Amino acid sequence: MAKPIVAIVGRPNVGKSTFFNKLIGERRSIVEDTPGVTRDRIYGETEWCGRKLTLIDTGGIEPKTDDVILAKMKFQAELAIESADVIILLCDVRTGLTAADRDIAVMLKKSGKPVIAAINKCDRIGALPFEFYEFYELGLDTDPVAVSSIHGTGTGDVLDAVLAALPPEGEAEEEDDSIKVAVIGKPNAGKSSIINRFVGSERMIVSSIAGTTRDAVDTLVENEYGKFTFIDTAGIRRQSKINDSVEKYSVLRAHMAVERADVCLIMIDANEGVTEQDERIAGIAHEAGKACIIVVNKWDTIEKDNHTTNSYTKQVYEALGYMQYAPLVFVSAKTGQRIPNIFEHILYVFNQTNLRVSTGMLNDVLNDATNRVQPPSDKGKRLKIYYMTQIRVAPPTFVIFCNNAELFHFSYQRFIENCLRETFGFRGTPIKLIIRQKGEEAPDA
């Protein structure tokens, strides 16, 4: 189940990035005492009372501004608000309640999402400053919470309020047995068109269901191949004067959709090839450990000869070198060419990413691999690999115990991964290797 999304918003220079860093426990956002430092959203994760949360740090909101940079920041914050399950409105007690705070609160209340006011820079221990009580005038459903992003005080109270605003875990969405498929890619690659083609096929039972606490609409498709929930990341597009808003919007959509997906269809426009934005979006799915299929759309528009497919395949895998494991399918959403093949690939990579191998079979492969290619050595000390075990699926994750983790070079890890793929397949899914020295505990499955 997807982790709830919590957006931290507010006007510039109220301490959002410092607060974000405190919640996630690391310095990921750039912190500087200058308005507008955080212009894009920054993602992070935290866990509170056993519940994992995805946090989004946003640029400051200036509700009424003609400044181009501030307008971009406002747009980015609005995107985060749309995707959030709960919103934290961060204010500054030192400046008191401002007109901008009031305007932002009105905007947030119109979103219909739960909003928690966190009043920052309450750094003194003891009685709250008089200015704190002004923030009750925001008229939110919950009381303001006093926090100090520098000292970390009050952060637990804010997270308690966040959990109280969320539905109980397990009730956020109805469980179903469909395979969740995120259709990701840059705008105009044909994401919506291909979903429409799926829906328009014969012998399909189709219904539209609202994305859980999301503003996208999921499409449930049932056919002879099984049940699939397609998540269209292109569904909502706003017209904007902001030049790069469409690109940033598609990346935000990809993050949110990938989080919920079992399988990702990475849509490539055959006429444009793999662009930098395609690489960026594909990287989101790869880093998330999701099963992936590369779908080259608009193949009907390409002039072909006997070498076109092989040449194009080589170009795609050169651009997406980290995704050699992902199958590649050439389709046309317009004509329906090879569309049924996509369902077959989805089923295949879904089974591959959920494949579990016994420890005995894994170590047979490991022994064969180390006999074929000796483990590396350094300054007379050789890497010794003791055993390997699988601890989870989706993606398949393995722990390998050895005598010295520093000797287990990346190149030899890649060799072991290739041996696993040669023997068991794992087509369409990343593989994760965790290296542990003897005596260290393995991660929980």
Side-chain angles (χ1 to χ4, degrees), residues 60-78:
I61 301 176
E62 285 284 0
K64 300 171 183 176
T65 180
D66 294 325
D67 184 276
V68 174
I69 296 298
L70 289 175
K72 289 183 179 181
M73 292 159 57
K74 179 186 176 186
F75 181 76
Q76 292 289 292
E78 288 174 343

Side-chain angles (χ1 to χ4, degrees), residues 163-181:
L163 295 191
L166 290 169
E169 194 167 13
E171 295 183 11
E173 58 184 60
E174 295 181 4
E175 293 295 332
D176 65 66
D177 56 355
S178 66
I179 299 175
K180 312 299 185 299
V181 183

Side-chain angles (χ1 to χ4, degrees), residues 383-401:
L383 172 68
K384 293 181 181 178
I385 303 176
Y386 299 116
Y387 71 96
M388 173 169 55
T389 187
Q390 185 174 2
I391 61 169
R392 65 179 69 98
V393 297
T397 304
F398 306 90
V399 177
I400 303 178
F401 287 91

